[in-house]
Amino acid sequence: EAGVAQSPRYKIIEKRQSVAFWCNPISGHATLYWYQQILGQGPKLLIQFQNNGVVDDSQLPKDRFSAERLKGVDSTLKIQPAKLEDSAVYLCASSPLGLTRYEQYFGPGTRLTVT
Amino acid sequence: DAKTTQPTSMDCAEGRAANLPCNHSTISGNEYVYWYRQIHSQGPQYIIHGLKNNETNEMASLIITEDRKSSTLILPHATLRDTAVYYCIVTGRAGGTSYGKLTFGQGTILTVHP
């Protein structure tokens, strides 16, 4: 079974530039998550999709971050404009739908450096 | 969601059992205990979860106290590849507003020595 795919793996941009990350979840997984992990901290949930609808985006800085999940499969996360404090690893995860199935399967992440 | 408390770091000798504790004294009746780990430069990996009973799978065992206020993750024969950050997470109840949501803390850095 193929895992969660993310691209690019690394990205370096200057502050005020824009950047986009792509995620392809495990086939058939209804739920998709984007996390931000700052160095030395645990991952923090930014947004959760169920199929192509947003379930939770309470921690997404909506003035600069946006995300979409077209057709309930792939997803993109965009930052515009980037700030220095956005330097982090952006992780995508997916999960099957089910009342007791909370397991999330994570991709390798995209390491973003904002200079 | 209930908050968890874990030691910042632990060491273990290769081949020995690694016992990672977690306190979750405010856990509610239908909240699950989940364990994930994150090896350097990788995404977190699901290990095991439980509600009330002890659980075992091919990776680890999970021991939950009878009052459910604490748990221990056991790696029976630790190897160098088990060196990672281990996260203990209490999830929201099914049907609740935090359903399916994982809130990661700082975790325990486990270092397995030769």
Side-chain angles (χ1 to χ4, degrees):
Chain A
E1 179 182 78
V4 176
Q6 290 189 247
S7 67
R9 291 296 313 277
Y10 305 92
K11 189 74 176 179
I12 301 174
I13 62 172
E14 295 181 350
K15 59 184 179 183
R16 292 187 288 273
Q17 285 188 323
S18 302
V19 65
F21 313 125
W22 174 82
C23 173
N24 181 239
I26 293 173
S27 177
H29 281 193
T31 311
L32 184 147
Y33 310 81
W34 283 101
Y35 289 84
Q36 179 192 59
Q37 186 171 24
I38 293 171
L39 187 64
Q41 300 181 16
K44 182 183 83 170
L45 179 69
L46 292 176
I47 189 166
Q48 175 184 346
F49 292 94
Q50 183 132 320
N51 296 309
N52 59 354
V54 175
V55 174
D56 183 354
D57 64 357
S58 58
Q59 298 195 88
L60 187 73
K62 298 180 187 62
D63 58 334
R64 298 183 300 106
F65 286 64
S66 64
E68 61 181 5
R69 189 180 185 195
L70 299 175
K71 301 180 182 178
V73 182
D74 292 6
S75 178
T76 56
L77 176 70
K78 297 179 182 178
I79 307 175
Q80 181 180 7
K83 293 185 175 181
L84 295 177
E85 59 260 36
D86 298 332
S87 293
V89 175
Y90 291 84
L91 295 159
C92 178
S94 69
S95 177
L97 185 64
L99 288 178
T100 60
R101 292 292 302 275
Y102 289 78
E103 297 99 293
Q104 296 183 19
Y105 299 83
F106 285 80
T110 296
R111 181 176 298 277
L112 174 68
T113 302
V114 182
T115 62
Chain B
D1 294 343
K3 185 173 179 175
T4 62
T5 304
Q6 299 178 252
T8 301
S9 63
M10 296 184 64
D11 290 337
C12 178
E14 190 176 20
R16 298 283 198 168
N19 298 293
L20 291 87
C22 179
N23 284 318
H24 32 78
S25 58
T26 61
I27 192 169
S28 300
N30 289 331
E31 288 181 315
Y32 287 77
V33 179
Y34 269 69
W35 284 83
Y36 280 74
R37 74 178 183 184
Q38 188 171 23
I39 295 169
H40 183 62
S41 296
Q42 297 183 21
Q45 176 191 24
Y46 164 78
I47 301 173
I48 198 168
H49 74 280
L51 182 62
K52 296 180 182 178
N53 300 322
N54 298 336
E55 302 289 344
T56 295
N57 62 21
E58 64 279 3
M59 289 183 68
S61 296
L62 174 61
I63 309 297
I64 302 175
T65 58
E66 193 169 341
D67 63 8
R68 303 213 318 128
K69 292 185 177 182
S70 66
S71 60
T72 301
L73 178 74
I74 301 172
L75 308 178
H77 305 287
T79 70
L80 299 179
R81 287 178 292 183
D82 292 322
T83 292
V85 180
Y86 287 77
Y87 297 100
C88 170
I89 301 167
V90 172
T91 65
R93 296 186 294 275
T97 56
S98 57
Y99 167 60
K101 181 177 176 180
L102 298 178
T103 301
F104 290 82
Q106 295 286 93
T108 296
I109 301 170
L110 174 69
T111 303
V112 181
H113 298 285

